Amino acid sequence: MAQWTPFPHASDYRFDAGSTKKQWARLHAGDAEPCPRDPAVLEAWSLFHAGDFQRATEAGLSAGGAGVTVANKAMAIYATYLEPREKVRLDLFLQVAARAEAQAKAEPDNANAWYWHAYALGRYSQGISVAKALAQGLGGKVKDSLEKAIALAPKHADARIALGAFHAEVIDKVGSLIGGMTYGAKKDTGLKLFQEALKLNPGSAIAMIEYANALVMLDGDKKMKEATQLYEKAAACDPLDAMERLDVDMARAELEEE
């Protein structure tokens, strides 16, 4: 594995098995992942929360089992926020999607196997263009996997965020008529999913960011003020770990550009 770009605030987030376990409920309010019993998997999660995404991926893959979920999350979050090379980023998303698909086949009741399959394919789709991805049939796969994740883990806030984004992106790219008829995308459903996500995980900066993006995609300038308020709220969040810090930094960067 080639050297990855380091997380820039590594010294700000320290985690070990004890602190990870103690703060598990808050750290995993988004993905509803159960706290692992395997010490090797818990160690991989500690590396993830501290922002050492490369070592978290390697440790998760070495641990196997539930460690595959850590590896998928670490690689997907790294690719989303820190990998500067487009080709490498897309390749990482495809790796996660393939690994998560195999995990879902082996463990069909594993909500996060379905979620990371959908997340990685969704980010890959954004990278190659949503219109192109829809033409390749990726839209249906993303939607199906997210719906499975929510059915298996009804408190999965992050799957709701991703599914809300799916509805908004499809309508934005192909319109509400074709989006609804061909892909089952509906504006009201998408917005409701974001609201549900924020009820489940009220402090989620990424939920606020994606909700804001969806409002602008679906309603344009009419919702710009509400979207900006959501970005400001996201930027004011107090991040508990490296991933949350990346979300907050993204919100702050967006506000600086306005």
Side-chain angles (χ1 to χ4, degrees):
M1 205 181 274
Q3 194 63 37
W4 288 6
T5 303
F7 171 64
H9 314 289
S11 59
D12 295 352
Y13 302 95
R14 305 281 191 194
F15 284 91
D16 57 21
S19 58
T20 300
K21 208 168 184 176
K22 188 178 176 185
Q23 300 185 82
W24 189 268
R26 163 70 176 78
L27 288 165
H28 291 270
D31 67 5
E33 177 72 8
C35 189
R37 293 177 184 173
D38 183 346
V41 177
L42 192 60
E43 172 59 24
W45 278 117
S46 299
L47 291 165
F48 170 82
H49 292 302
D52 196 339
F53 298 118
Q54 184 165 16
R55 282 177 65 213
T57 300
E58 292 163 353
L61 291 175
S62 292
V68 173
T69 303
V70 194
N72 286 343
K73 186 167 187 172
M75 188 175 277
I77 295 304
Y78 169 78
T80 301
Y81 294 96
L82 293 172
E83 175 50 58
R85 297 158 294 179
E86 179 71 7
K87 188 176 181 303
V88 175
R89 185 160 59 246
L90 293 177
D91 181 57
L92 291 173
F93 287 135
L94 288 178
Q95 284 183 50
V96 174
R99 203 160 48 225
E101 186 175 20
Q103 187 186 26
K105 278 182 183 163
E107 304 170 44
D109 293 338
N110 185 332
N112 277 320
W114 296 105
Y115 173 67
W116 289 110
H117 174 249
Y119 180 98
L121 277 187
R123 291 294 188 196
Y124 175 80
S125 298
Q126 289 172 330
I128 64 168
S129 96
V130 171
K132 195 183 281 187
L134 289 173
Q136 290 178 14
L138 297 182
K141 290 181 180 179
V142 169
K143 185 169 182 276
D144 288 350
S145 287
L146 289 172
E147 287 173 346
K148 280 192 178 102
I150 292 168
L152 289 164
K155 293 187 176 177
H156 204 303
D158 290 351
R160 283 176 169 78
I161 297 165
L163 190 53
F166 168 84
H167 284 273
E169 291 251 23
V170 169
I171 291 167
D172 181 51
K173 297 302 180 289
V174 301
S176 55
L177 184 63
I178 294 171
M181 286 171 63
T182 310
Y183 304 104
K186 296 181 175 62
K187 175 181 169 180
D188 292 348
T189 303
L191 296 177
K192 186 169 173 249
L193 284 159
F194 287 115
Q195 290 153 12
E196 288 172 357
L198 281 165
K199 271 187 190 162
L200 288 165
N201 192 11
S204 171
I206 193 62
M208 297 168 204
I209 291 165
E210 295 288 7
Y211 190 12
N213 293 344
L215 286 171
V216 175
M217 273 190 264
L218 294 167
D219 287 309
D221 290 345
K222 265 195 310 185
K223 293 289 184 179
M224 195 60 78
K225 188 180 173 187
E226 192 178 336
T228 301
Q229 286 170 345
L230 281 163
Y231 261 99
E232 286 168 348
K233 203 173 167 190
C237 286
D238 184 18
L240 184 58
D241 75 347
M243 183 185 76
E244 290 184 9
R245 176 64 179 270
L246 290 166
D247 293 333
V248 170
D249 283 354
M250 182 167 69
R252 289 172 181 165
E254 185 72 23
L255 288 169
E256 283 169 14
E257 286 174 17
E258 286 185 3

